[in-house]
Amino acid sequence: MSETLLLQAQRVSKRYGATIALQEASFGLRKGEVHALLGANGSGKSTLAKVVAGVVAPDGGEIWLGGQAVRFRNPLEARAAGIAVVYQELSLVEDLSVQDNLWLGHEPPARFGRVDARAARARTEALLGLFEDVAGPRFAPETLAGELPPDERQLVEILKAVSLEPRVLVLDEATASLDGRQVERLFGLVGEWKARGWGIVIVTHRMEEIFRVADRATVLRNGQVVGEVRIGETSREELIGLISGEASRALHSAEARASAPARRTSPLLSLRVRRGRKLRGLELEVYPGEILGLGGLHGQGQSELLLSLFGALPGQDLSLRLEGQPRAFRHPSEAMRAGLAYVPGDRNREGLLAARSILENFLLPSWKSYHRGPLLDLGQARRAALEVGEKLKLKFGALDDRVTSLSGGNAQKVVLGKWLLRSPRVLLLDDPTKGIDVGAKAEFYQLLAELRAQGLGVVFYSSDDDELLSLCDRVLVLLEGRITAELSHAELTRDRLIRASLGVKEVVSGEP
Amino acid sequence: MTLLRRLLAQPYALALILLILGLVVTALFQPAFFTPRTFANNLRTYLPLILLAVGQTVVVLGGGIDLSLGAILTLSSVVMVQAFGMEADPGPLRTFGGVALGLLVGTLAGAVNGFCVAYLRLQPIIATFATSFIWGGLALWVLPQPGGNVPTVLQDFVRAYFLMPFSLWAVLAILLAWAWFLGTRWARALYAVGGNPQAAFTSGLSVERTRLGAYAAAGLLTGLGAFFLTADIATGDPLIGGPLTLASVVAVVIGGTRLSGGAGGIVGSILGAVAYYLLKNVVALSVFNFNLSPQWQTLIDGTVIVLALAAPGLLRLVRRQP
Ligand SMILES: Nc1ncnc2c1ncn2[C@@H]1O[C@H](COP(=O)(O)OP(=O)(O)OP(=O)(O)O)[C@@H](O)[C@H]1O
Ligand SMILES: [Mg+2]
C-alpha cells in the first residue's frame, strides 16, 4: 500500500455468547478522509467503533495506528492516542452541566487538582458557538445535560469528542436525531476537520448523507466486511445491494404511499390547542387511514404535540375529540385505554427498561392481554413477541436476553414492536425510524401501509425529510409551536417543506 | 417569597424544614437548649454523626452505600484508646500517634470496602453489611470491655471555644474543604461515576479507582468522627458506633442526596444530621412531657425515621403541582 493509513483494523473479531458481532473485519482510514461504515442493524458497526475506542476488547485481530500496532486496554488509552468516538447510545451524565460533560476526563487543569474553570468556560463557549444558531436558547455551558432535548444532547456529544482535538473522529449515527440544518452545519464542520487532516469515520443509515460527505465506504454484513467502495464510483443501488445482500431492489423508496388519498370521512381524532407548553394556538385533524406527518426543525413543538395527544402533558388549555366524542386524557394510561399508542423519540430515556429482557420490554404495555385466569400466558406472549420480532426483522440472541444486548437499531425496533402488539387505533410516532437500517425501514413502511389500510390514524414526526415526503399523505409544518403550512399532494415537495420549516415566504418563481 | 421558593427548590429543602421544625419545637418545650453552654455541648455530640453523614454522602454520590461506617467508627475509636494507654498525659508521640493510627485504620477499612465493591464487584449493600461484622469483631478484639482513657489535651481540644464552639469551626472547615473539592476534577469524576458509570468509563475515567477513593475518603472521615467522639466521651466502648450507620443514611436521604448516586451534596447531609438529632430530642421531650413510658421511645424514633425517609418522595409530589 503506497499511502500510509492513519488507522487500520485488521481481521478484528468479537463475539457475544452465540452472537458473532465481528468476524475478521478489516478496514483502513486515511488521513483527511471521510470513511463511511455501512451495514444493516446488528451488522457490527458500533462494535467495530467500540473496539477502536478501547471500550470493547476484541477476541482477535489488531489495530494499527499510524503504522504501529496498538492495544488499548481502556478508553483513556485510545483517547490519549488521539481517537475520539461519538457513541450511538448517548453517553452524557445528565446531572452534570454541558460544560462539565464536555471536559469530563480531560478538564483543563489548574493548581491543586482543581479545574481551570475560566479556561474551560471560554473553550466551551467557543465549541458551543459552532452550533449555537442551529440550537435552542438552553444550549449553554451551565445547562444540565439531562434538560436538553435529544438533538442538543447529540450536539454536546459531538462537541465532547471534538474537544479532544483527535486525529481520528468516529461519528456513530451522530446525525440520527439531528434536523436538516444541524446536519448541514455538522457536515460543513466535517469538511473543515478533514482539511485539517483528521480521519473521520461516519456511521449512518441515511443514504443521501453518504453521498454528500463520504469519500469511501466499507460495508459490513453480519460482522464481515463485504465490500469497500469509492463513493464517486458507486451508486445508491449498489450500496443498498451490498448492505442487504439481496439483488438491488428499491428498498428505501417507500411504495407505501397510498395510491388514493385517504377518504375525507369524519376525523378519527381532532385536537385544538389554545395555549400549551410550547404550543400556541393550533388545530389539527387526523382521518382514519391517513398518515399525517409533522415537519419542521427540531423542537418546534412536534414532540409536545404528540405528548398532548397522548395525555402526557396535562394542564394545558386544549380540547380533544376522538371519533367525535370530546375526551380529556389526564394520563397516558387513559389514552392507551382509548386506543392510542405513542412511540417515544428517545429510546434510552423513555422507551426501554434497560435492565429487563427483550420479552418483558415487548410486553410491558400489553401484558394484560396475555392472561389466562390470574396467570400470565407466557407461551402466547412469546409467540406474539416472536411474530412482531419477525415482522420487524429483529436481530437478537434470545427473547430472554437483556434489551441492552441489542444493537441500536434493533433496540428501536423493540420500542416500536411493543406498541404494535397492542393493536392501537391511533399511532403517535416520535421520530420512530431513528437509527433503523434501510431494509428494516422498508419493512416498517410496509407495516405502516398495512396499518393504514386497516383504517388506523398515524401521526408521524420525523427528522428525516425524505421520510415525510415519501410516506405521508399530509404534512403539517410546525414553527415555534404553530402550524405554518399544510402540505399535501402536489404541494408536498422538498423545497416547500424546507421553506416552511424555516418560515421563509414562498417565492413564486421558485416553484415549477 | 422568591427566596422561600428558591429554598424550597433546593435538594436539601426537606432537611431545612425538619431542622426549623425541630428548632421551633425545642425552643417551645426546652428553652434551656439554647443557652450557649448547652448548645455548644450538643453540637459537640452531633459532630461525629455529621462526619459520618458527610462520608456516607461521598460514597452515595459515587453510586454506592456503606453500611459499615458505624463499625469503622468503633474500630477506629478503640484503636485510638488502646494506643493512648492509661496515663492522663502519655506524651505527644502516643497522643498524636494514636490519633494518626486511628485515622489510618478508618481509611484502610474504608479502602477495603471500596476494593470489595469496585474491584470484586460485590453489591455495596451486602459487601459493606458483611464487612461491618469484621470491623465490629476486630473492635471487640482490640478492646473487649468498655474502658480506657483519652489524653486531657485532646479532651480540652474538642471543648475549645474561640469566638465560637470548636464543633462549628470543624463544620466550617468541612464546608471549605468541600467547596475546594467541588472545583476539582475528582468531584466531576465522582458525580459522573455515580450518575452514569458507562458514560464515565467511555470518557476515560476509571470507575473502579473513583469508587475506591470514595470509600477510602468515607473511612477517613469516619476516623475523624471517631476521634471527636472518643475525645468527647473520654473513654472507649467497643459497641459505640452501631446506631450511627442508620443515622448516617437517614441524614443523607433527608439531605436530598439521591440514593442511586450522581446528585446531591454534603450541605443537605449536615443539615439532615442536625435535624435527626433535634427530632430525636423532640421525641424524648414528648415522651417526658406526656408521661409516656420510655419503651415508646424506640417505636416513635423508628416511626419518625420512616416518615423522614418517605418525605423526599412526598415533597417531590408537592413540587410537581404547577
Ligand atoms: N453487549 C452486548 N451483548 C450481547 N450482544 C451484543 C452486545 N453488543 C452488541 N451485541 C450484538 O452484536 C451484534 C452487532 O451489534 P452492533 O451494535 O455492532 O450493530 P450495529 O451495526 O451498530 O447496528 P445498528 O445499526 O442497529 O446500530 C448485534 O447482533 C448485537 O445484538
Ligand atoms: Mg450501532
Side-chain angles (χ1 to χ4, degrees):
Chain A
M1 212 164 289
S2 54
E3 271 170 290
T4 52
L5 291 168
L6 187 57
L7 175 78
Q8 216 176 346
Q10 277 182 350
R11 306 164 73 82
V12 173
S13 300
K14 176 75 195 174
R15 52 192 309 158
Y16 292 102
T19 312
I20 297 176
L22 283 177
Q23 195 176 357
E24 309 220 322
S26 305
F27 97 113
L29 176 70
R30 295 181 192 144
K31 220 168 156 315
E33 143 181 278
V34 178
H35 194 123
L37 209 52
L38 307 177
N41 292 138
S43 57
K45 306 179 298 292
S46 298
T47 306
L48 188 52
K50 284 180 192 161
V51 167
V52 165
V55 172
V56 163
D59 300 332
E62 286 185 332
I63 306 289
W64 288 69
L65 191 69
Q68 261 192 329
V70 287
R71 167 140 281 181
F72 301 130
R73 281 169 304 173
N74 54 45
L76 188 60
E77 292 181 1
R79 279 179 154 218
I83 296 175
V85 177
V86 176
Y87 298 95
Q88 183 178 12
E89 309 302 330
L90 298 188
S91 61
L92 297 180
V93 182
E94 302 200 352
D95 300 300
L96 288 184
S97 68
V98 166
Q99 175 171 325
D100 287 346
N101 265 295
L102 279 181
W103 301 103
L104 189 62
H106 62 286
E107 295 88 352
R111 275 188 302 168
F112 310 121
R114 285 176 69 89
V115 176
D116 187 345
R118 206 178 295 163
R121 172 80 189 204
R123 283 150 76 181
T124 304
E125 276 172 358
L127 283 170
L128 295 184
L130 297 176
F131 287 104
E132 202 164 38
D133 50 331
V134 292
R138 304 271 289 135
F139 192 62
E142 65 279 359
T143 308
L144 294 186
E147 292 172 355
L148 291 177
D151 56 321
E152 291 176 14
R153 290 157 63 92
Q154 181 70 69
L155 294 177
V156 173
E157 193 88 26
I158 293 169
L159 292 175
K160 182 176 161 185
V162 170
S163 73
L164 286 161
E165 299 272 331
R167 281 196 285 168
V168 174
L169 177 67
V170 182
L171 299 165
D172 192 355
E173 296 194 32
T175 56
S177 50
L178 302 184
D179 69 29
R181 272 195 319 168
Q182 292 164 335
V183 173
E184 196 66 41
R185 171 62 50 85
L186 174 63
F187 286 173
L189 290 168
V190 163
E192 288 175 26
W193 297 330
K194 200 172 123 168
R196 270 196 236 165
W198 298 10
I200 297 168
V201 178
I202 170 170
V203 178
T204 178
H205 292 291
R206 295 184 182 168
M207 286 294 146
E208 79 279 2
E209 293 183 353
I210 300 161
F211 285 94
R212 271 176 56 198
V213 287
D215 303 307
R216 285 193 305 153
T218 295
V219 181
L220 285 165
R221 198 190 309 145
N222 293 326
Q224 283 176 304
V225 171
V226 292
E228 200 204 280
V229 292
R230 266 181 202 289
I231 295 301
E233 297 165 2
T234 186
S235 68
R236 193 187 157 90
E237 275 63 41
E238 188 190 1
L239 276 184
I240 292 178
L242 271 174
I243 292 169
S244 67
E246 298 165 31
S248 151
R249 291 192 272 139
L251 270 173
H252 184 59
S253 72
E255 310 113 46
R257 197 157 162 188
S259 39
R263 283 158 286 128
R264 288 276 166 139
T265 48
S266 54
L268 184 58
L269 187 74
S270 60
L271 173 77
R272 195 182 161 144
V273 183
R274 281 170 293 274
R275 270 201 65 80
R277 293 195 218 151
K278 217 151 185 189
L279 298 177
R280 296 186 287 166
L282 62 80
E283 263 178 72
L284 67 89
E285 287 173 340
V286 188
Y287 292 87
E290 164 179 71
I291 300 181
L292 175 65
L294 300 178
L297 301 173
H298 256 306
Q300 303 300 315
Q302 297 95 338
S303 296
E304 286 78 5
L305 181 53
L306 291 170
L307 288 171
S308 306
L309 288 170
F310 198 50
L313 290 179
Q316 305 185 99
D317 186 5
L318 52 80
S319 46
L320 184 74
R321 279 168 184 272
L322 185 64
E323 294 177 325
Q325 303 290 325
R327 303 294 289 260
F329 301 135
R330 278 161 309 168
H331 194 269
S333 61
E334 296 180 10
M336 279 163 61
R337 240 172 282 140
L340 274 69
Y342 168 77
V343 178
D346 188 345
R347 63 171 168 266
N348 291 321
R349 280 202 289 179
E350 300 165 39
L352 292 171
L353 301 177
R356 313 304 313 180
S357 70
I358 299 171
L359 182 70
E360 280 172 87
N361 271 288
F362 259 138
L363 294 184
L364 193 60
S366 56
W367 56 265
K368 269 191 196 143
S369 31
Y370 299 102
H371 267 245
R372 200 193 283 147
L375 296 176
L376 207 53
D377 185 350
L378 266 181
Q380 197 200 339
R382 278 177 177 279
R383 277 192 295 282
L386 281 175
E387 201 174 297
V388 171
E390 184 134 338
K391 228 178 198 170
L392 294 170
K393 293 220 155 80
L394 188 74
K395 187 167 185 261
F396 63 102
L399 275 180
D400 296 315
D401 287 353
R402 268 188 178 214
V403 79
T404 41
S405 71
L406 295 174
S407 76
N410 282 306
Q412 183 68 8
K413 291 182 194 171
V414 173
V415 180
L416 250 171
K418 73 176 196 181
W419 291 106
L420 296 179
L421 275 170
R422 277 184 69 89
S423 2
R425 282 193 293 170
V426 179
L427 197 54
L428 309 171
L429 303 170
D430 192 345
D431 220 356
T433 59
K434 186 155 81 183
I436 290 193
D437 67 52
V438 274
K441 262 186 200 165
E443 300 293 331
F444 172 65
Y445 298 156
Q446 200 58 46
L447 202 72
L448 275 190
E450 279 170 32
L451 294 174
R452 168 166 54 188
Q454 292 165 18
L456 250 81
V458 179
V459 188
F460 181 32
Y461 167 55
S462 174
S463 55
D464 185 349
D465 288 347
D466 284 330
E467 209 161 75
L468 290 175
L469 292 170
S470 61
L471 205 58
C472 295
D473 302 295
R474 226 161 23 110
V475 173
L476 304 176
V477 181
L478 273 78
L479 183 62
E480 290 172 3
R482 276 182 225 279
I483 295 174
T484 51
E486 176 175 339
L487 307 171
S488 60
H489 308 300
E491 296 165 357
L492 190 48
T493 62
R494 180 184 303 273
D495 188 62
R496 292 258 190 144
L497 193 60
I498 292 173
R499 278 174 199 284
S501 312
L502 298 173
V504 183
K505 286 270 173 320
E506 299 278 336
V507 181
V508 184
S509 62
E511 287 290 315
Chain B
M1 188 60 215
T2 48
L3 182 71
L4 187 66
R5 276 254 175 90
R6 290 251 307 266
L7 277 176
L8 278 180
Q10 292 297 326
Y12 51 77
L14 176 71
L16 205 58
I17 292 170
L18 290 179
L19 185 75
I20 292 170
L21 200 76
L23 285 174
V24 168
V25 177
T26 311
L28 287 178
F29 288 96
Q30 195 192 10
F33 184 91
F34 297 98
T35 59
R37 260 189 79 89
T38 321
F39 193 62
N41 283 337
N42 281 314
L43 277 181
R44 200 169 59 242
T45 58
Y46 297 173
L47 196 52
L49 177 60
I50 290 178
L51 279 151
L52 252 67
V54 170
Q56 192 70 268
T57 311
V58 173
V59 172
V60 169
L61 281 176
I65 193 165
D66 194 333
L67 298 185
S68 73
L69 291 187
I72 295 180
L73 178 127
T74 309
L75 178 61
S76 168
S77 164
V78 296
V79 164
M80 286 187 209
V81 169
Q82 284 296 30
F84 295 148
M86 290 311 288
E87 298 146 55
D89 180 13
L93 180 68
R94 294 195 78 156
T95 304
F96 297 108
V99 175
L101 191 65
L103 296 183
L104 182 70
V105 166
T107 313
L108 279 178
V112 169
N113 286 344
F115 182 79
C116 293
V117 170
Y119 290 91
L120 304 183
R121 317 256 159 156
L122 302 180
Q123 286 286 335
I125 291 187
I126 299 175
T128 57
F129 190 54
T131 56
S132 75
F133 292 98
I134 301 181
W135 313 137
L138 281 175
L140 277 167
W141 175 66
V142 173
L143 186 77
Q145 299 288 327
N149 180 48
V150 175
T152 31
V153 260
L154 298 182
Q155 295 186 35
D156 293 342
F157 177 59
V158 297
R159 283 183 173 69
Y161 193 102
F162 178 71
L163 299 176
M164 56 186 191
F166 170 80
S167 25
L168 279 184
W169 285 111
V171 171
L172 191 66
I174 298 169
L175 288 173
L176 285 177
W178 182 251
W180 163 80
F181 173 72
L182 283 182
T184 65
R185 45 196 354 180
W186 303 306
R188 309 295 195 281
L190 181 68
Y191 279 87
V193 163
N196 186 345
Q198 183 65 30
F201 172 65
T202 53
S203 303
L205 299 174
S206 168
V207 176
E208 290 86 6
R209 236 180 289 155
T210 308
R211 291 229 160 105
L212 178 70
Y215 275 93
L220 174 63
L221 286 160
T222 303
L224 275 173
F227 163 66
F228 293 130
L229 183 66
T230 316
D232 185 23
I233 62 174
T235 183
D237 177 349
L239 296 168
I240 186 110
L244 289 179
T245 302
L246 178 60
S248 73
V249 177
V250 172
V252 167
V253 172
I254 60 185
T257 292
R258 195 198 292 151
L259 266 188
S260 58
I266 69 161
V267 176
S269 306
I270 294 176
L271 295 175
V274 177
Y276 171 84
Y277 275 126
L278 286 176
L279 288 183
K280 266 189 86 123
N281 188 40
V282 167
V283 172
L285 278 175
S286 0
V287 169
F288 178 74
N289 276 337
F290 298 113
N291 268 325
L292 298 176
S293 77
Q295 295 96 294
W296 285 98
Q297 180 139 355
T298 313
L299 180 68
I300 301 177
D301 269 351
T303 314
V304 169
I305 288 179
V306 172
L307 286 178
L309 290 177
L314 298 178
L315 198 71
R316 221 169 300 134
L317 273 184
V318 175
R319 275 198 201 123
R320 203 187 295 166
Q321 309 302 330

